[in-house]
Amino acid sequence: MTQALYYEEIDNGKVQCRLCPHNCILALGDRGNCDVRKNIDGRLISENHGLCSAVQFEPIEKKPLYHFHPGSYIFSIGSIGCNLKCNFCQNCEISQTSVDRYVSGQYYSPEEIIGMTADHPENLGVAFTYNEPTVYFEYMTEIAEATKAKGMKNVMISNGFINERPLLDILPFMDGFNIDLKAFTESFYKTITKGHLKPVKEALISIKKAGKHLEVTNLLIPSQNDDLTKFTEMILWIREELGKDTVLHLSRYFPAYKSDIQKTSLGLLFNFCETARQYLDYVYLGNVTGSESQNTICSNCGKIVISRYGYFIQKNGIDSEGICLHCNNKIVIS
Ligand code: SF4
Ligand code: SF4
C-alpha cells in the first residue's frame, strides 16, 4: 500500500480521485470503481502497490507490439484491478478483483523488479501490461523511472482511460504504447465497458503528439461493434488523427467473463481487415494462429519484410533503420 497520487480531499473525510475519467468521490472506507484505490482515514491509498499477478519475460510481439524492436524480449509485469468493467474481459481473474479477494500474487519492490530485468541478456526493458497499468500508476512510475535511468525502454499496454495530467506525467518515461480502442460509439463504452470513448480518443492524440511509438488494438465482437460503417469511421479517424502508418491490431474475440456471444468468424474478421487496409498501411490480425496477416508487408512495394511464425521472427527484408531492402521505402519501426 502507498499513498495515491492525483487526489484531493473534499468535505467530511471524502476524497476525489483524479487519476482516471471516473473521477470517483470516495467516502471514508470506500473503494473506487477500480476496486484498488481506497479512502482510508481521509487519505487515498493505492492498495495494489507492489502486488504482482505476473512477472515474466515475453516476446514484444505478444503485447502486441509489432513495430517496436521486433523480435526482442521484454520483462512484463501486471498487478490487479481495472478502471473498466468490460463484460468480455479475458483477464477478469486479475482485472475484476481486489486485494481482499486476490490470494495469489507476490509483492516485489521496484528495486526487485529492476533486478529481475537483468536476468535475460537481451531484455529490452519493462512492459506494464495484463491488467490496466493506470490503476497501479504509482508503482508503474517508480519502476519506469528506474528502467529509464538504466537506459532501457518502457511500454504501456492500456485501455487509454486515463486523465490528461497523469498521462502527461508518465509520457516522458514511456517509449511505446498499445492502446485499446474498443469501439467507436459512446453507447458501447457506456454499456459494455462502463467507461467513455472521448477520453480514450484524447489519450491517443496526446500520445501521438508526444511522439511516442503507438499501436492500436481493436477487438471485433459480433453484434457488439461489427457495424461496418462505424468501424470505417473509426479507421478514418485513426488515419486522420494518428496517421496512415498507425499500426492496427484487429483481434478475434472469444467468449470470456460475462459474454457468451459466439467467437468472431474468420470471414467477418477478414472482411473488416480488408476495409482497414484500404486506409491504413499496417493492419494485423490478432488471436488467429498461423495467419499470414502477422507478416509485415512494405507499404510501398508489397513485399514481406518481417515474417512471423508464431513468435519466431525473421527480419529478412528490412535493415536496422527500418528501410525496406526491396525498394528503400522507410517503414515505421522504432
Ligand atoms: S483510478 Fe480508480 S478510484 Fe481513481 S477515478 Fe479511476 S476508478 Fe476511480
Ligand atoms: S480494459 Fe482490459 S483489463 Fe480492463 S476490463 Fe476491459 S478488457 Fe479487462
Side-chain angles (χ1 to χ4, degrees):
M1 295 206 302
T2 195
Q3 173 137 338
L5 298 169
Y6 309 106
Y7 82 94
E8 57 202 62
E9 295 172 12
I10 44 182
D11 50 7
N12 299 323
K14 287 183 187 163
V15 296
Q16 182 161 28
C17 179
R18 298 279 189 188
L19 179 56
C20 89
H22 285 309
N23 295 313
C24 300
I25 294 177
L26 310 175
L28 286 168
D30 281 355
R31 285 196 173 110
N33 286 357
C34 56
D35 254 358
V36 289
R37 296 168 94 77
K38 185 174 183 180
N39 179 346
I40 300 178
D41 298 333
R43 293 162 62 219
L44 187 64
I45 299 296
S46 166
E47 296 184 289
N48 57 355
H49 191 80
L51 174 58
C52 292
S53 54
V55 290
Q56 59 197 337
F57 291 99
E58 286 196 316
I60 192 84
E61 274 77 11
K62 205 170 174 183
K63 298 305 98 194
L65 286 168
Y66 277 22
H67 286 224
F68 189 77
H69 301 270
S72 61
Y73 275 79
I74 192 153
F75 192 62
S76 302
I77 70 168
S79 182
I80 63 164
C82 185
N83 49 359
L84 296 184
K85 306 264 173 256
C86 308
N87 68 6
F88 52 83
C89 182
Q90 303 206 330
N91 287 333
C92 58
E93 298 83 8
I94 58 168
S95 73
Q96 306 301 313
T97 189
S98 64
V99 289
D100 306 331
R101 289 179 281 142
Y102 190 71
V103 291
S104 328
Q106 196 162 341
Y107 284 88
Y108 293 105
S109 68
E111 294 73 27
E112 286 174 309
I113 294 290
I114 296 300
M116 284 188 276
T117 63
D119 290 346
H120 192 300
E122 291 165 25
N123 179 35
L124 186 61
V126 178
F128 302 94
T129 178
Y130 304 128
N131 70 316
E132 172 51 45
T134 295
V135 304
Y136 57 92
F137 191 92
E138 296 76 10
Y139 189 52
M140 172 168 67
T141 303
E142 284 176 39
I143 294 169
E145 284 182 17
T147 310
K148 267 279 176 220
K150 286 207 168 279
M152 295 186 291
K153 311 284 186 196
N154 291 301
V155 302
M156 189 172 167
I157 313 303
S158 169
N159 58 30
F161 197 65
I162 182 170
N163 279 340
E164 187 183 22
R165 184 68 264 158
L167 177 60
L168 293 179
D169 289 347
I170 198 73
L171 274 172
F173 303 108
M174 287 295 153
D175 299 283
F177 289 81
N178 186 309
I179 301 290
D180 259 1
L181 183 55
K182 294 173 186 291
F184 215 55
T185 60
E186 176 60 20
S187 62
F188 179 99
Y189 267 88
K190 204 169 165 192
T191 58
I192 296 177
T193 76
K194 308 296 180 208
H196 302 284
L197 170 62
K198 188 165 170 273
V200 180
K201 289 165 72 179
E202 289 168 352
L204 283 161
I205 289 170
S206 295
I207 293 166
K208 180 67 186 179
K209 273 193 185 151
K212 302 296 173 177
H213 180 83
L214 172 62
E215 302 190 13
V216 175
T217 293
N218 176 249
L219 183 74
L220 183 62
I221 310 174
S223 76
Q224 301 298 300
N225 62 355
D226 63 348
D227 179 308
L228 191 56
T229 306
K230 267 293 165 201
F231 178 80
T232 306
E233 198 183 307
M234 179 179 80
I235 299 300
L236 289 170
W237 181 87
I238 292 174
R239 188 173 76 163
E240 184 68 26
E241 297 292 339
L242 309 178
K244 188 170 178 283
D245 53 9
T246 302
V247 176
L248 176 70
H249 299 269
L250 184 60
S251 272
R252 190 181 192 192
Y253 150 90
F254 287 89
Y257 192 33
K258 296 176 179 171
S259 177
D260 58 5
I261 294 167
Q262 288 296 298
K263 67 187 175 196
T264 316
S265 72
L266 288 174
L268 186 71
L269 199 67
F270 291 146
N271 186 22
F272 275 56
C273 182
E274 280 310 304
T275 299
R277 282 181 173 162
Q278 287 175 32
Y279 304 105
L280 300 176
D281 289 341
Y282 306 107
V283 182
Y284 300 95
L285 293 185
N287 296 337
V288 179
T289 45
S291 167
E292 288 193 355
S293 58
Q294 263 104 55
N295 295 332
T296 298
I297 312 283
C298 174
S299 57
N300 182 49
C301 70
K303 298 214 167 101
I304 296 175
V305 292
I306 304 175
S307 306
R308 295 185 177 85
Y309 310 92
Y311 296 116
F312 177 68
I313 314 295
Q314 277 190 309
K315 295 182 273 186
N316 285 345
I318 193 167
D319 73 9
S320 58
E321 304 297 316
I323 303 296
C324 172
L325 297 179
H326 306 288
C327 73
N328 288 329
N329 179 38
K330 174 81 178 94
I331 294 165
V332 175
I333 297 269
S334 298

